[in-house]
Amino acid sequence: MKFDRRELLKAGGGLAIFTSLSRAPLHAKPLGANPFSLGIAAGDPWPDGFVIWTRLAPRPLDEHGGMPAVAVPVRWEVAEDDRFARVVRSGDAVAVPELAHSVHVEVAGLQPHRRYWYRFIVTGSDVSPIGTARTAPASGALVDRLRIGVAGCQNYEMGYYDAWKHLAAEPDLDLIFHYGDYIYEGGRSTLGIQPNGANIVRQHAGDEIYSIDDYRRRYAQYKSDPHLQAAHAAAAFAISFDDHEIDNNWAGAFDQDGTTPEIFALRRFAGLQAWYEHMPVRKAQFPTLGGLTAFRRLDYGRLMRMHVLDTRSFRSDQPCNDGKIKPCPPEAHDAPEMLGRAQEAWLHEGLGNSSSWNLLAQQVIVMPADLRALDATEARHATDLWDGYRPARRRLIQSIRDHRLTNVVFATGDHHRHLIGSVPERDEDPEGRKVAVEFQAASITTNGNGKGERAFAHVLRNNPHFDLYTDQRGYQLFDVTPKAWTTAVKVMDRVEAPGGSISTLATFVVTPEAPVLHRG
């Protein structure tokens, strides 16, 4: 097979920057067995195609993943069948060391609303695992049904990824929304029960991460897990990020430790570059010195418009130094920006559509949430959630009202527990008129096995707009039709030991005519 380096660099993504990334010659020697140790992935379906991704790393935790510091040609194929008897698109990409030998191919020219299979090949080495993904329906198409999985918060040290195995086995998935916390930035913990009550069952490699090589190694460790790889191979992902992809509770230019913005910017750029390198996202998400644009839309015919939001990059610092300054009463929870004005305007414009549903796929709890302890007499509202950004929440609610929408669904993560409820029009009247419903999916592993429903019954009593709140790990499944949105709440019996089983705790149904939840 003959490769032309200039053409391969162009095939590497079409960005002008790629044509000058690497001056090293193309690698001419075989890489040996299994350079695809981190699996494969697809993402961001459009009607004519999707992104396919891999990263070459024959020894994932070694320096540079065990790769030589040269560019490597990679063949890719997309077929109509899993045996690749009918290959419909193929080409050559290049994996360059400047991007950790990752490959992002934006496949186009496919048929809408159709399942395809894809794989990668490196000459002289193994062929990659096979992945599958479905394109989105054509613009304006009538769509009978859509199935979406929602998951995230996958702290490697706190549990095993059997939930990903179960989600990978769910039938007929169109998409998986990963809301963030794909990795955790902390260093290696001691095995066993910690002073904070967490049970560490497996360990991070290395200390807390700061440099680009640190972040790459952490992603390599997480992506080496076979159950996570199985989920990526089973369906296309729409991926955003939350705080732990960089640092806990970071907000815009600020970290939680008081680092000067100029210094934190170096860490943030390293984290965002590593996120891009390891996610199946498009060239539009390529990082620059100013950050990256993670917010984007995915349309599914006339059935649903999905607005993938970024609630970290453009927000103001949390009020009261992230709640550390006391007292911090509700009136002080007035940080002005959660999305930033440009993203707000983009979202407002995008909400003006005729789809049956609007899915706002984002990271942190939108509803007012009184999270006081069992024996506390005063309400406690967290500052890192939308509760800390009440002016921004009021503008978001006003945007929904301006469009007279009754079909808005929020998909949320971050809080580690399953939370189902309705977003009230006014904070001070949680039992009053509602503007949307919110489905917060629990973590895959973070917080370990959990304490179940009864341990937090007081949270339901203190929040009349909540319909379910449980400290169990798992994920959620959205089954969407033009007339009804059904959410299944999936819970694991355990994550602190391998082999946990999955079950359905509850189902909820909402119709597009009113943001009212009904038990299924």
Side-chain angles (χ1 to χ4, degrees), residues 141 143 145-146 300-305 355-357 480-482:
V143 182
R145 187 187 185 201
L146 179 63
Y300 281 81
R302 293 168 59 182
L303 179 59
M304 188 191 78
R305 168 165 284 184
S355 298
S356 298
W357 298 97
V480 186
T481 71

Side-chain angles (χ1 to χ4, degrees), residues 26-334:
L26 286 173
H27 189 61
K29 298 179 181 179
L31 295 176
N34 194 22
F36 303 103
S37 64
L38 305 184
I40 44 80
D44 284 11
W46 288 356
D48 69 337
F50 38 73
V51 181
I52 57 174
W53 170 95
T54 194
R55 177 191 165 194
L56 305 181
R59 298 185 302 278
L61 299 187
D62 284 5
E63 186 178 22
H64 308 307
M67 288 291 294
V70 294
V72 178
V74 180
R75 184 77 177 169
W76 58 270
E77 296 178 338
V78 176
E80 294 180 339
D81 66 301
D82 59 1
R83 294 178 299 172
F84 288 79
R86 300 185 300 277
V87 174
V88 293
R89 288 291 181 274
S90 62
D92 299 310
V94 62
V96 296
E98 291 89 342
L99 293 176
H101 290 100
S102 62
V103 174
H104 298 73
V105 179
E106 296 190 18
V107 182
L110 304 180
Q111 295 299 309
H113 210 202
R114 183 166 182 171
R115 183 169 298 283
Y116 292 90
W117 287 260
Y118 62 94
R119 66 184 179 185
F120 297 90
I121 303 165
V122 172
T123 302
S125 299
D126 291 338
V127 177
S128 78
I130 295 171
T132 184
R134 179 177 288 157
T135 52
S139 177
L142 295 174
V143 182
D144 294 333
R145 187 187 185 201
L146 179 63
R147 280 175 59 80
I148 303 172
V150 182
C153 285
Q154 52 195 48
N155 190 310
Y156 184 87
E157 294 195 323
M158 292 186 178
Y160 294 89
Y161 287 172
D162 292 278
W164 281 122
K165 178 185 70 174
H166 295 301
L167 183 50
E170 295 285 356
D172 207 29
L173 286 174
D174 291 275
L175 190 71
I176 294 174
F177 170 52
H178 195 299
Y179 55 71
D181 290 347
Y182 196 100
I183 61 168
Y184 279 69
E185 80 283 11
R188 182 188 295 111
S189 302
T190 303
L191 291 172
I193 304 297
Q194 306 300 295
N196 62 4
N199 186 15
I200 301 303
V201 299
R202 52 184 184 171
Q203 294 174 300
H204 283 148
D207 298 327
E208 183 163 350
I209 54 179
Y210 292 92
S211 71
I212 183 63
D213 288 332
D214 292 341
Y215 282 101
R216 287 168 172 170
R217 186 185 190 200
R218 187 60 51 85
Y219 275 105
Q221 183 175 24
Y222 277 58
K223 293 182 80 70
S224 295
D225 188 280
H227 297 325
L228 178 56
Q229 289 187 18
H232 275 296
F237 274 52
I239 298 183
S240 190
F241 52 78
D242 197 18
D243 52 341
H244 289 288
E245 283 86 351
I246 298 176
D247 185 40
N248 181 55
N249 281 15
W250 72 279
F254 307 98
D255 73 354
Q256 66 173 349
D257 304 313
T259 306
T260 61
E262 294 81 7
I263 298 300
F264 176 60
L266 301 175
R267 184 182 189 183
R268 184 179 63 183
F269 184 79
L272 291 176
Q273 178 178 335
W275 177 83
Y276 171 83
E277 289 171 348
H278 291 86
M279 297 298 121
V281 292
R282 295 181 180 272
K283 295 189 294 287
Q285 280 68 64
F286 190 83
T288 68
L289 292 178
L292 58 81
T293 303
F295 60 89
R296 57 206 189 273
R297 293 191 191 101
L298 298 174
D299 284 319
Y300 281 81
R302 293 168 59 182
L303 179 59
M304 188 191 78
R305 168 165 284 184
M306 182 178 187
H307 314 258
V308 181
L309 304 183
D310 175 359
T311 61
R312 286 290 165 189
S313 298
F314 311 106
R315 63 156 87 184
S316 311
D317 200 8
Q318 293 94 342
C320 306
N321 190 20
D322 203 3
K324 299 182 184 71
I325 299 173
K326 305 292 185 181
C328 189
E331 56 268 23
H333 290 210
D334 61 352

